[in-house]
């Protein structure tokens, strides 16, 4: 299909963007060098493999109907060289230089006349490790879909994709009528009625959850400057599972409690007073079903969670998070104010165009920080024979928020990517260190075993 209407939530993300609030997500993938594989070869692979992903060849265009709508259309003038670029960092500490540069690159909005994505090959001056920064507009993909798209650059995925493409070319696919089966139409109508009912319930929850008494003054509530700063942290996935087995709950519950403790620790180091009320986290939840049909648009809901920053005991924070998340899960991802994304599916395109500024400013009334977990393939990956050693996901910042935290597990490590407003949180590295220190303390408390923080 050469043209495809943007799904309502994708359209919302497209209109929410401004120069000061780019709505792209990303990932910083770090690779170890391999003998005989230079930057030129890596750049060539990035270009050829990205060009082979059909979704990355599509740009957003206006349509006459529906009014206010937009569509994905194959870019007839697509040139992958406009999207893939090599940059060099001269810092002696490669990771420090790469994260600093990645922050500057994440500030830049993606061009709207081209397919909305970019890849940057970040190299050091000495031929050591290198990184690839991938930027995808949130209208193009949610976290799980972004992983599927971005993974196309890896050797292992590219080989499988190439084989499947060849097989499809040899197999005739019977044409399907554009007219749906009458039974499908009835099912669609019933589903639509159910969706509208859910949206009304979510809307009422949003009104009830909206806060006029916002969380007290802090760096997390500073006015947006449009600047970006990145920082990373690394945790031991085996240690995380040991804590989970001892304390119960899920690994994600433990990580959310660690984020809460890290914020408390960071505030104390800065000399900030603890807030009168706990900050709220928006915790995205995928609505994609394992084994279900692969939808191209965003399929998201979310939970709202009070991060127990005011609790002094790490175990109390663990229990508070587990209890709150259990209540969220019992209600389900399509209920409650956190499921605000469900509302976008019920609005006409014109409402997204004119309502985007209001929706962007209203996000601050619901939550203070985004904390998301991004699932990654468990198998080892490489690029041009260069092993992938770490992958730090990066979430977009909503208007009025200064911090977003994303986590992923790969190679026995939990990689934490922190994205912040550069002016509001110039000491983001201290918060990243606080995440590692907090995890070390939680592990020691729960297991009775000391661990040295990862440097």
């Amino acid at each position: 299909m050469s043209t495809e209407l943007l799904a309502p939530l994708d359209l919302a993300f497209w209109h929410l963007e401004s120069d000061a609030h780019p709505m792209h997500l990303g990932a910083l993938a770090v690779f170890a060098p391999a003998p005989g594989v230079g930057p030129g070869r890596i750049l060539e692979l990035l270009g050829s493999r990205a060009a082979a992903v059909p979704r990355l060849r599509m740009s957003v265009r206006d349509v006459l109907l529906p009014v206010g709508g937009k569509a994905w259309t194959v870019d007839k003038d697509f040139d992958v060289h406009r999207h893939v670029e090599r940059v060099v960092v001269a810092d002696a500490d490669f990771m420090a230089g790469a994260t600093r540069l990645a922050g500057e690159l994440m500030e830049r909005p993606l061009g709207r006349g081209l397919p909305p994505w970019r890849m940057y090959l970040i190299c050091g001056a000495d031929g050591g490790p290198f990184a690839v920064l991938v930027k995808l507009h949130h209208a193009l993909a949610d976290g799980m879909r972004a992983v599927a798209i971005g993974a196309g650059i890896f050797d292992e995925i590219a080989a499988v994709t190439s084989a499947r493409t060849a097989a499809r070319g040899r197999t005739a696919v019977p044409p399907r009528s554009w007219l749906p089966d009458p039974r499908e139409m009835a099912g669609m109508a019933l589903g639509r009625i159910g969706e509208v009912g859910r949206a009304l319930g979510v809307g009422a929850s949003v009104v009830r959850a909206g806060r006029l008494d916002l969380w007290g003054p802090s760096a997390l509530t500073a006015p947006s400057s449009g600047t970006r700063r990145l920082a990373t942290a690394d945790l031991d996935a085996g240690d995380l599972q040991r804590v989970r087995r001892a304390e119960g709950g899920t690994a994600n519950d433990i990580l959310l409690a660690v984020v809460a403790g890290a914020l408390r620790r960071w505030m104390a180091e800065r000399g900030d007073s603890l807030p009168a009320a706990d900050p709220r986290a928006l915790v995205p939840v995928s609505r994609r079903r394992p084994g279900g049909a692969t939808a191209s648009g965003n399929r998201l809901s979310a939970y709202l969670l009070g991060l127990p920053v005011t609790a002094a005991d790490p175990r109390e924070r663990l229990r508070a998070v587990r209890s709150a998340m259990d209540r969220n899960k019992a209600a389900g991802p399509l209920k409650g104010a956190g499921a605000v994304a469900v509302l976008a599916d019920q609005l006409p395109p014109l409402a997204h165009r004119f309502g985007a500024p209001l929706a962007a400013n209203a996000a601050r009334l619901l939550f203070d920080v985004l904390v998301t977990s991004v699932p990654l393939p468990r198998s080892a990956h490489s690029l041009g024979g260069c092993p992938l050693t770490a992958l730090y996901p990066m979430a977009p910042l909503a208007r009025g928020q200064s911090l977003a935290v994303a986590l992923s597990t790969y190679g026995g490590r939990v990689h934490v990517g922190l994205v912040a407003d550069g002016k509001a949180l110039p000491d983001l590295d201290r918060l990243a260190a606080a995440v590692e220190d907090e995890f070390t303390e939680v592990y020691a408390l729960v297991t009775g075993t000391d661990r040295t923080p990862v440097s």
Side-chain angles (χ1 to χ4, degrees), residues 171-225:
T171 304
V173 179
R176 174 175 174 167
S177 170
W178 61 272
L179 289 172
D181 183 273
R183 289 169 296 181
E184 291 183 5
M185 293 180 65
M188 289 168 60
L190 290 173
R192 187 67 176 173
I193 292 172
E195 289 174 359
V196 172
R198 281 196 298 270
L200 290 174
V202 171
S205 297
V206 168
V207 172
R208 290 194 299 269
R211 301 167 299 173
L212 297 178
D213 53 337
L214 299 182
W215 194 47
S218 78
L220 300 186
T221 60
S224 301
S225 68

Side-chain angles (χ1 to χ4, degrees), residues 88-100 123-130:
V88 177
V89 295
D91 303 54
D93 184 336
F94 172 74
M95 275 305 300
T99 53
R100 173 189 54 77
C123 302
D126 59 357
F130 64 91

Side-chain angles (χ1 to χ4, degrees), residues 376-400:
L376 297 180
R378 294 186 178 182
S379 56
H381 291 291
S382 59
L383 175 59
C386 301
L388 175 69
T389 59
L391 196 151
Y392 301 97
M394 296 170 186
L397 289 180
R399 190 186 303 267

